C-alpha cells in the first residue's frame, strides 16, 4: 500500500507543514506514507510525471488558493494515467464546498477541518482493508479528533499516536535520544536548507475578522509552553535561518506567548529569526521588557492593521485601537532591534479611495520595515463571502478570489491601487531607497500622493511589467524626482538645481549603502577633486585600522577592494567622506556599515554600525 501526500507550494523557499504533520500522526502506519512537494512555478506535465513515477494507491492533495489552479489542470489528467488510484484532498480551498469539489475532481473523498485525525484514520483504513466503508467527507465528527498537543513534532523520530489503539509508537524509537534518531532528524532538516520552516504553537483565533477563515471556528488550542520551548531548541541547535509561526494571533494568550519570547531571548543562537503575527494593542510592559532585549534581527512582528477607518473596522468585525497600535509600533521602532511588518487591505467595506489614502498615510507614518498593501480575498466559507451582495463585492471567479470592485471602489480605483502596490514593493519594501524616499516625500502633500505620482510616472514611461536591473531602479527614481522638482513652478531655477543636487546625492548614498558597485553610476558626482583625500584616508586606515579593526589584516590595496569611499557635499552639514564597508550589515535594513569623516576637519564624526 502506497499513500502519497502531495504539496504544491507557492515558492521553493516555502515548506508545507500540513503534509508533514499528517504523516507524523499515522503512527505505526508511517512507513506506508510518502511526501512529495512541488511549486506552482513547475509545469503540470512535470507534476504528472513525478506523481506517476510514485505509482501511489492513494494520492492526497493539500489544497489552498495559491495552488488551486494548477491542481485543476493536474488532477483530471492523473485519473487518466493512474486509473486505479484513489484521490483525496484537504485544506481550506476544498473544505467549504466539499461535494462540489468531489464532483469536479472525481475524488474518492475530502478531509475537512483539522486533518491529522482524519488522515490517520484514512491511512489505517486503507492498510487494514476497510477503506470501502470510508464516507466521502471525512472530518473530526466521523473519524478522530486530535488536540494540538497530540500532534507530534514532525521532524525525524516521529512520536506519533496510532488512532486505532491510542498507542504512541514509531519504528525510530520515538522519544529517545539515540544516534539513529539524531541522524534521521539531521536528514529531514537538510531538506529545509534555505527554506522557511513553519511552526504551529496554537490553532484558532479569538477574533472574528469577517474576511478570515479563522473566524469560523472559535475553538482555541495551545501546545504546552514546555513542549514549544523544547521544539524551538531543536531549531536553535540546528541553526535554522527562519522559523515562521503560523499562529493567527501569537500573543492572544499572554501566559503562552510571553514564556516563549523569554525562551528565545535566553537561548538565542545569533542566527535564527522567528516571525510572529501579533495584535499590537495586546502588548504591555511585560512584553516590552523582553522584546527590547532581543538581538537585532532575532524576531519579526507582523501586525495586521488593515484599515484605520473606524466604520470599516466595525464592518469587518474587528477590534483594534489604532492609537495604541501606533504608540506600540513607535516604541518598538525606537529600539531598532525588531523588524516590523504592517498590513493594509484594499477593498474592505466602507473604504473608498479617499479613506484608503488616509489609512495608507496613517500606517506609512509609522515607518515599518515592511508595509504590505494587500487586496481583499473573498474566501469561500468566510463571513465576507456571505455579505458579498450587501457590499456589491465583485471578485475573481478563480483563486485567489481577489476583489475587482466594491460599492465604494470601482475597478479603475483598484487598478490605480495595484500600481501603487507595485511601486511600493519596488521602492519602499525593498529597503533600498530609504533616504531618497524620505527626501522626495517632502515634495508631496502626503506619502500616498508621492507613490501615486510615481505609479503614474511608471505608466507614462511603460515601465510596468519590465524586469529592471537594480541600477536602473535608482536611475528611474532619480529621473522621476528630478522631473517633479523641475515641474514645480513656485520654485526658482537656483533652488530647483540645489534640490536636484540633494536628490542625486541621496540616490547615490542609498545605492552605496546596499551595493558595492564596480562601475561608477553615471549620475554620481566625479570624485576627481577628492582623490588625494580619499587615498589619504585609506592609507591611514591601512596603517592604524582604527575605523574598521575587523579588517586589521588588510593592507592598502585590499582596502581599496573591500571599502568604498564616497564624498558628499550637500546632504550633510559639512562635506563628508563616507566609508562603506560591506563586511557587516544591519540585520534590519541590510545596509552596510558606514563611517562618516568630516573632511573639512579630517576627524571622525561618527561610526554607524
Amino acid at each position: 500500500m502506497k499513500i502519497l501526500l502531495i504539496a504544491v507550494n507557492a515558492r521553493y523557499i516555502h515548506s508545507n507543514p500540513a503534509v508533514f504533520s499528517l504523516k507524523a500522526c499515522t503512527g505505526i502506519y508511517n512507513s506506508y506514507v510518502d511526501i512529495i512537494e512541488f511549486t506552482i512555478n513547475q509545469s503540470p506535465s512535470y507534476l504528472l510525471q513525478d506523481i506517476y513515477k510514485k505509482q501511489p494507491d492513494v494520492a492526497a492533495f493539500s489544497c489552498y488558493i495559491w495552488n488551486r489552479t494548477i491542481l485543476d489542470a493536474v488532477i483530471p489528467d492523473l485519473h487518466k494515467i493512474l486509473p486505479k488510484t484513489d484521490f483525496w484532498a484537504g485544506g481550506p480551498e476544498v473544505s467549504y464546498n466539499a461535494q462540489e469539489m468531489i464532483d469536479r475532481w472525481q475524488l474518492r473523498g475530502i478531509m475537512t477541518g483539522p486533518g491529522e485525525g482524519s488522515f490517520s484514520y484514512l491511512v489505517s483504513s486503507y492498510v487494514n482493508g476497510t477503506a470501502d466503508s470510508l464516507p466521502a467527507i471525512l472530518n473530526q465528527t466521523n473519524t478522530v479528533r486530535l488536540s494540538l498537543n497530540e500532534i507530534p513534532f514532525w521532524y525525524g523520530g516521529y512520536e506519533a499516536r496510532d488512532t486505532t489503539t491510542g498507542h504512541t509508537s514509531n519504528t525510530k524509537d520515538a522519544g529517545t535520544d539515540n544516534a539513529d534518531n539524531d541522524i534521521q532528524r539531521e536528514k529531514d532538516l537538510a531538506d529545509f536548507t534555505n527554506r522557511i520552516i513553519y511552526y504551529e504553537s496554537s490553532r484558532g483565533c479569538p477574533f472574528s475578522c469577517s474576511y478570515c477563515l479563522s473566524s469560523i471556528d472559535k475553538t482555541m488550542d495551545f501546545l504546552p509552553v514546555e513542549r514549544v520551548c523544547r521544539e524551538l531548541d531543536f531549531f536553535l541547535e540546528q541553526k535554522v535561518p527562519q522559523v515562521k509561526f503560523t499562529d493567527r494571533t501569537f500573543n492572544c494568550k499572554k501566559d503562552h506567548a510571553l514564556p516563549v519570547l523569554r525562551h528565545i531571548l535566553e537561548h538565542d543562537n545569533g542566527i535564527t529569526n522567528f516571525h510572529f503575527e501579533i495584535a499590537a494593542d495586546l502588548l504591555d510592559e511585560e512584553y516590552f521588557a523582553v522584546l527590547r532585549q532581543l538581538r537585532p534581527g532575532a524576531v519579526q512582528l507582523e501586525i495586521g492593521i488593515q484599515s484605520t477607518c473606524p466604520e470599516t473596522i466595525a464592518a469587518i468585525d474587528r477590534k483594534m485601537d489604532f492609537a495604541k497600535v501606533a504608540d506600540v509600533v513607535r516604541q518598538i521602532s525606537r529600539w531598532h532591534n525588531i523588524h516590523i511588518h504592517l498590513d493594509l487591505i484594499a477593498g474592505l467595506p466602507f473604504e473608498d479611495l479617499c479613506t484608503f489614502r488616509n489609512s495608507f498615510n496613517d500606517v506609512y507614518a509609522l515607518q515599518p520595515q515592511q508595509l504590505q498593501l494587500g487586496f481583499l480575498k473573498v474566501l469561500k466559507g468566510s463571513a465576507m463571502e456571505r455579505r458579498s451582495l450587501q457590499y456589491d463585492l465583485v471578485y475573481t471567479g478563480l483563486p485567489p478570489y481577489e476583489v475587482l470592485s466594491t460599492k465604494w471602489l470601482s475597478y479603475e480605483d483598484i487598478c490605480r491601487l495595484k500600481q501603487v502596490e507595485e511601486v511600493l514593493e519596488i521602492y519602499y519594501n525593498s529597503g533600498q531607497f530609504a533616504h531618497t524616499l524620505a527626501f522626495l516625500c517632502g515634495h508631496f502633500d502626503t506619502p500616498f500622493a508621492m507613490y501615486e505620482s510615481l505609479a503614474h510616472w511608471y505608466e507614462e514611461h511603460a515601465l510596468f511589467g519590465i524586469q529592471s536591473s537594480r541600477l536602473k531602479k535608482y536611475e528611474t527614481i532619480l529621473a522621476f524626482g528630478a522631473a517633479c522638482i523641475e515641474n514645480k513652478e513656485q520654485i526658482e531655477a537656483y533652488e530647483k538645481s540645489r534640490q536636484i543636487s540633494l536628490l542625486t546625492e541621496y540616490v547615490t548614498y542609498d545605492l552605496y549603502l546596499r551595493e558595492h558597485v564596480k562601475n561608477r553610476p553615471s549620475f554620481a558626482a566625479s570624485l576627481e577633486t577628492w582623490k588625494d583625500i580619499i587615498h589619504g584616508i585609506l592609507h591611514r586606515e591601512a596603517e592604524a585600522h582604527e575605523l574598521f579593526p575587523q579588517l586589521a589584516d588588510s593592507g592598502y590595496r585590499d582596502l581599496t577592494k573591500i571599502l568604498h569611499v564616497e564624498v558628499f557635499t550637500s546632504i550633510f552639514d559639512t562635506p563628508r567622506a563616507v566609508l562603506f564597508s560591506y563586511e557587516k550589515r544591519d540585520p534590519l535594513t541590510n545596509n552596510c556599515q558606514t563611517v562618516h569623516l568630516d573632511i573639512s576637519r579630517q576627524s571622525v564624526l561618527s561610526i554607524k554600525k
Side-chain angles (χ1 to χ4, degrees), residues 53 218 307 314 317 332 367 401 462 467 479 602:
K53 290 174 186 176
K218 300 298 182 183
S307 172
D317 305 323
I332 294 174
Q367 289 292 289
Y401 312 112
Q467 195 70 14
Q602 294 288 297

Side-chain angles (χ1 to χ4, degrees), residues 232-246:
L232 294 189
D233 282 341
F234 175 63
F235 296 131
L236 290 164
E237 289 164 10
Q238 300 301 321
K239 296 181 170 56
V240 169
Q242 185 178 51
V243 178
K244 191 166 186 177
F245 276 63
T246 60

